[in-house]
Amino acid sequence: MANVSSPNIQSAARRLAGHLVATPVIGALRLPGFPAPIGLRLKADLLQPSGSTWFRGAMHALLRQMGAVRGVVSLGTPRQMLGVAAAAELHRLPLFAAPVVEGGVLDAAWAGAFAAYGCIVAPQPSWEAARAAVEARRATAGDHVLRLADDEDVRTGLATVGLELARELPSETEVVLVAPAELAEPLSLGLAAGGAPIPVQGLAAASAVPAAFGAAVRAGLRLDVGPAALAALHAALQRGPSAERVCVVLAE
């Protein structure tokens, strides 16, 4: 991420202005059955279009490609692909999405979510199969391949979450938690760009949490909180009293 520098992150924030939801930082949580320290804070970035912070990265990458591509092809988790789908729709670009799902079959809820964006969806059973599908589409249609894992424009867009947090968090904040873990580095760079080099800990999105906890979070926040965000919030509460000085980014 050598080119994801402070000036580039500041430029990305200006470029994205007007395209993003101004997601709030929430404190004083009320989670039925799961007491939370009053100082624990959440950055509810799952309020971005499609319910995912990945919209930031995809939107920024496509703004950088404005007018230079005729179509987009991408692969990733279903939530990542929905973020790309939302960005592609706003750019009026056709999208060929290859989400990786167990068995290579989307359930009805995911299929309906993708259908709302009008993109072509080709679910794949493995990352290897998804990469092959993306390459085949690129070779036949000439679409622009948006590689979320290593695209610097995507990562620079994601870093704007940290830039916002640098303005929003109190000075006593000791750590920011986020899942999946790959979001930790861009968030850390964004915080540093904003003059608040708070450590960021990335967590595994697949960490199991009690079913009752998920129900309590959704009831308390009235948000569609997915497994990655639940894992990060649950990890914060396991810190006990020190969670007073923690911020959790609900990203997905």
Side-chain angles (χ1 to χ4, degrees):
M1 297 183 67
N3 292 329
V4 186
S5 62
S6 178
N8 286 347
I9 295 168
Q10 300 281 356
S11 294
R14 292 190 292 271
R15 194 173 288 117
L16 284 166
H19 297 289
L20 298 179
V21 175
T23 56
V25 170
I26 303 167
L29 304 182
R30 295 292 183 267
L31 306 178
F34 294 88
I38 194 169
L40 174 64
R41 288 170 169 80
L42 308 180
K43 172 73 165 171
D45 214 52
L46 48 70
L47 291 173
Q48 295 301 339
S50 83
S52 171
T53 200
W54 289 94
F55 171 80
R56 288 179 183 260
M59 189 66 180
H60 181 250
L62 293 182
L63 285 169
R64 291 274 289 163
Q65 294 288 333
M66 185 75 78
V69 300
R70 297 175 299 175
V72 180
V73 57
S74 192
L75 74 153
T77 67
R79 283 189 183 267
Q80 288 174 330
M81 290 299 91
L82 279 183
V84 177
E89 181 187 49
L90 289 171
H91 282 271
R92 304 295 191 265
L93 290 172
L95 169 67
F96 178 94
V100 179
V101 292
E102 186 175 354
V105 178
L106 288 169
D107 65 24
W110 281 117
F114 279 106
Y117 289 108
C119 54
I120 299 172
V121 185
Q124 303 295 325
S126 68
W127 292 96
E128 292 77 11
R131 283 189 284 269
V134 163
E135 177 56 28
R137 177 72 181 191
R138 184 205 62 76
T140 57
D143 289 346
H144 172 70
V145 180
L146 188 56
R147 303 185 189 278
L148 299 183
D150 53 14
D151 187 289
E152 288 181 352
D153 287 331
V154 170
R155 297 295 180 176
T156 305
L158 292 171
T160 61
V161 182
L163 192 64
E164 292 173 12
L165 284 173
R167 299 191 298 267
E168 297 162 343
L169 293 181
S171 59
E172 63 267 22
T173 303
E174 293 183 350
V175 67
V176 173
L177 304 183
V178 66
E182 61 194 299
L183 291 172
E185 186 175 11
L187 262 65
S188 180
L189 291 171
L191 282 160
I198 302 168
V200 180
Q201 181 180 351
L203 303 168
S207 300
V209 299
F213 180 72
V217 171
R218 294 184 182 102
L221 297 181
R222 295 180 174 84
L223 294 173
D224 181 20
V225 182
L230 285 175
L233 180 52
H234 189 258
L237 293 183
Q238 299 309 300
R239 292 172 173 252
S242 67
E244 282 277 355
R245 297 175 294 280
V246 173
C247 174
V248 178
V249 178
L250 304 180
E252 293 302 329

